[in-house]
Amino acid sequence: MDLLEIKNLKKSFDGLVVLRDISLTVKEGQAVSVLGPSGSGKSTLLRCMSMLETVDGGDMIYCGKTAVKDAVYAPKAELKEIKSYFGLVFQSFNLFPHYTVLKNVTDAPIHVRKRNKAEVYEEARVLLEKMGLADKGDCYPYQLSGGQQQRVAIARALAMKPRMLFFDEPTSALDPELTAEILKVLKELAAEKMTMVIVTHEIDFARSVSDNVIFMDGGLIVEQGDPHDVIDNPSNERTRAFLKKLEG
């Protein structure tokens, strides 16, 4: 089943075209990695997909429901429901500094979803254990490493029970050791068939985890497909040049 379908997406900022006619599909259970040089439009695409930016053209369909048709957004109530289908994990964690780890994870399910408090707390403890943070529930974000904060952010996104998760460069603010922690968590989620779209510069990770790799440059999808085709045997010169630069 297609959880997300994007057709002919366009986005400009002050006359500068950032996304040109982007079309892609994300199927249930797929891990999709988005690669490309800085300024290629990767993060803007993710921000449009997660509705942090409004698009200038195109359609976006989530779980069969149309969020955007020809750049016209669905009514507010419908959009609210559609936004519940996905979670977003930022590169800079975006945790509430004055909340404990447990409150960061439980706040939205209780206050936004109006779910049973005891049930949410129980689920949150299970999630924190899964993230290797069972003993950190009473800590505040400043008491954690960057890797631990990012794992709290992932737990917080999962606590809302989304159908899919979007990650915007989830390791770019971390040093190599902490990066490995987060990639391990993402690999485990991929193994559990959590639907994910991951903007990343971690080529080896993209190769080993992704069902589909998208390479972007200049606001276009230049190449997409199986990671072994796109990463190991790219057909496009721009993809080859980008990968060669990374290896160099």
Side-chain angles (χ1 to χ4, degrees):
M1 178 191 171
D2 293 346
L3 289 197
L4 174 59
E5 194 180 353
I6 286 177
K7 297 179 193 165
N8 311 116
L9 205 67
K10 297 175 183 70
K11 176 67 182 172
S12 298
F13 293 103
D14 300 325
L16 177 70
V17 181
V18 181
L19 298 177
R20 311 164 187 270
D21 210 24
I22 298 275
S23 296
L24 61 91
T25 302
V26 179
K27 297 188 179 302
E28 191 164 21
Q30 269 192 334
V32 178
S33 290
V34 185
L35 308 175
S38 293
S40 58
K42 308 184 300 292
S43 288
T44 300
L45 173 60
L46 204 70
R47 288 178 68 81
C48 288
M49 281 160 55
S50 54
M51 299 193 225
L52 293 173
E53 299 284 358
T54 52
V55 305
D56 300 327
D59 308 346
M60 295 198 297
I61 301 154
Y62 296 77
C63 306
K65 297 198 174 170
T66 300
V68 184
K69 179 76 180 165
D70 295 328
V72 177
Y73 283 75
K76 210 170 175 180
E78 280 176 48
L79 278 185
K80 189 179 176 188
E81 186 192 343
I82 290 168
K83 285 178 182 177
S84 74
Y85 298 156
F86 59 80
L88 177 60
V89 178
F90 299 90
Q91 53 184 291
S92 53
F93 325 134
N94 284 24
L95 299 175
F96 293 112
H98 55 296
Y99 284 0
T100 63
V101 164
L102 197 58
K103 189 164 169 58
N104 262 289
V105 175
T106 56
D107 193 61
I110 292 168
H111 294 109
V112 178
R113 292 285 165 80
K114 314 291 185 202
R115 290 187 53 215
N116 176 278
K117 197 171 177 179
E119 204 175 274
V120 170
Y121 269 87
E122 181 56 41
E123 286 174 13
R125 288 192 180 94
V126 171
L127 276 173
L128 288 175
E129 189 170 343
K130 182 178 175 179
M131 295 291 150
L133 298 166
D135 57 341
K136 301 294 183 190
D138 295 330
C139 293
Y140 287 86
Y142 77 90
Q143 297 171 305
L144 306 179
S145 71
Q148 289 170 330
Q149 289 186 58
Q150 191 59 295
R151 282 182 278 151
V152 174
I154 295 169
R156 180 178 63 179
L158 288 168
M160 294 294 276
K161 299 182 183 288
R163 301 280 301 271
M164 57 191 142
L165 279 181
F166 299 148
F167 293 87
D168 186 11
E169 300 266 17
T171 60
S172 68
L174 305 175
D175 67 33
E177 194 179 327
L178 299 179
T179 291
E181 286 179 20
I182 300 307
L183 297 183
K184 182 172 176 279
V185 170
L186 295 184
K187 281 180 179 174
E188 286 164 4
L189 290 173
E192 292 165 13
K193 291 295 175 196
M194 180 74 207
T195 308
M196 297 187 286
V197 179
I198 307 159
V199 169
T200 184
H201 55 276
E202 299 285 342
I203 301 296
D204 290 339
F205 165 77
R207 183 193 284 111
S208 63
V209 168
S210 312
D211 301 290
N212 193 27
V213 169
I214 291 168
F215 175 72
M216 289 183 68
D217 196 11
L220 292 165
I221 291 178
V222 173
E223 202 164 342
Q224 64 177 314
D226 184 276
H228 297 292
D229 293 333
V230 177
I231 295 171
D232 298 326
N233 300 293
S235 59
N236 189 283
E237 182 49 46
R238 279 197 274 183
T239 318
R240 284 199 290 271
F242 171 72
L243 293 168
K244 203 173 171 102
K245 207 168 164 187
L246 285 186
E247 286 163 10

